[in-house]
Amino acid sequence: MSKKNINRVLIVVVSLIWGVLIYKFVNTFFVSSPIEADTIVSQETIDIPLIAKDTFNLKAYERDPFLGTLNKPSKSITNKVYSLTVKKEVPVNQKWPKIQYLGFVKQEKSNDPLLLIKIDNRLYRNKISGEIMESLNIISFYKDSIEVSFNNERRIIKKNL
């Protein structure tokens, strides 16, 4: 046989193999045939033997096998009644500090901008999120304003021009 004839035969064989594979793959999605169970129901009862539990008592050792020290038997604890008093914290209404948003500075080397904020006449440079002072957090920032929470109370502070 010449090379052309061998190539034609091989192309036909390969295309038949691929055709069968694609048919089997696609056939599973579009053809729904009921699944028949190959189970046989029998009326015989099977007795399964139960395994008896093994019970034993453990002896308390006085010597620690790893450290080689002697263990002193612990004293038994008597039932004592303890009372627990919980004091509720009364939230102190603190006044909001005087906050001025001056803007943000973005450096070439880092992607995180630094926010410039003036709180009670002190200048703070902070990253986007985090706690500036005790119970004063920056939630989000924009070009013209920031969102700040103080004692679980939120406010939006606009930029001073």
Side-chain angles (χ1 to χ4, degrees), residues 93-134:
N93 291 334
Q94 295 179 344
K95 291 184 180 179
W96 273 77
K98 184 180 177 185
I99 301 173
Q100 290 180 329
Y101 175 53
L102 302 174
F104 66 93
V105 178
K106 189 169 183 180
Q107 297 178 351
E108 293 177 6
K109 296 179 182 177
S110 69
N111 293 335
D112 296 333
L114 290 174
L115 299 176
L116 299 174
I117 301 171
K118 198 173 195 181
I119 302 171
D120 291 334
N121 293 327
R122 287 191 66 196
L123 184 64
Y124 290 94
R125 295 178 308 209
N126 268 34
K127 291 191 177 184
I128 297 170
S129 62
E131 186 172 306
I132 298 175
M133 295 173 51
E134 185 176 328

Side-chain angles (χ1 to χ4, degrees), residues 8-157:
R8 288 180 185 159
V9 171
L10 289 176
I11 289 174
V12 169
V13 170
V14 169
S15 62
L16 286 174
I17 291 172
W18 276 103
V20 169
L21 289 175
I22 292 172
Y23 173 74
K24 286 187 178 183
F25 180 73
V26 171
N27 192 26
T28 59
F29 292 113
F30 295 111
V31 176
S32 61
S33 60
I35 300 173
E36 297 178 10
D38 293 335
T39 58
I40 300 172
V41 179
S42 65
Q43 298 298 331
E44 298 176 21
T45 58
I46 301 172
D47 293 330
I48 299 173
L50 295 176
I51 300 172
K53 292 183 181 180
D54 189 17
T55 58
F56 50 90
N57 293 326
L58 295 177
K59 182 177 129 181
Y61 290 102
E62 293 180 5
R63 184 180 158 276
D64 186 0
F66 299 106
L67 298 175
T69 58
L70 294 176
N71 289 337
K72 295 179 182 177
S74 62
K75 296 178 182 177
S76 64
I77 299 174
T78 59
N79 291 337
K80 294 182 180 178
V81 176
Y82 294 100
S83 63
L84 180 64
T85 57
V86 178
K87 294 181 180 178
K88 292 184 179 179
E89 292 185 26
V90 178
V92 178
N93 291 334
Q94 295 179 344
K95 291 184 180 179
W96 273 77
K98 184 180 177 185
I99 301 173
Q100 290 180 329
Y101 175 53
L102 302 174
F104 66 93
V105 178
K106 189 169 183 180
Q107 297 178 351
E108 293 177 6
K109 296 179 182 177
S110 69
N111 293 335
D112 296 333
L114 290 174
L115 299 176
L116 299 174
I117 301 171
K118 198 173 195 181
I119 302 171
D120 291 334
N121 293 327
R122 287 191 66 196
L123 184 64
Y124 290 94
R125 295 178 308 209
N126 268 34
K127 291 191 177 184
I128 297 170
S129 62
E131 186 172 306
I132 298 175
M133 295 173 51
E134 185 176 328
S135 69
L136 179 70
N137 296 323
I138 297 174
I139 298 171
S140 62
F141 86 101
Y142 309 100
K143 287 184 179 182
D144 63 338
S145 62
I146 58 173
E147 187 175 355
V148 181
S149 71
F150 182 70
N151 290 335
N152 296 327
E153 183 182 341
R154 291 184 176 191
R155 284 190 187 172
I156 294 177
I157 299 171

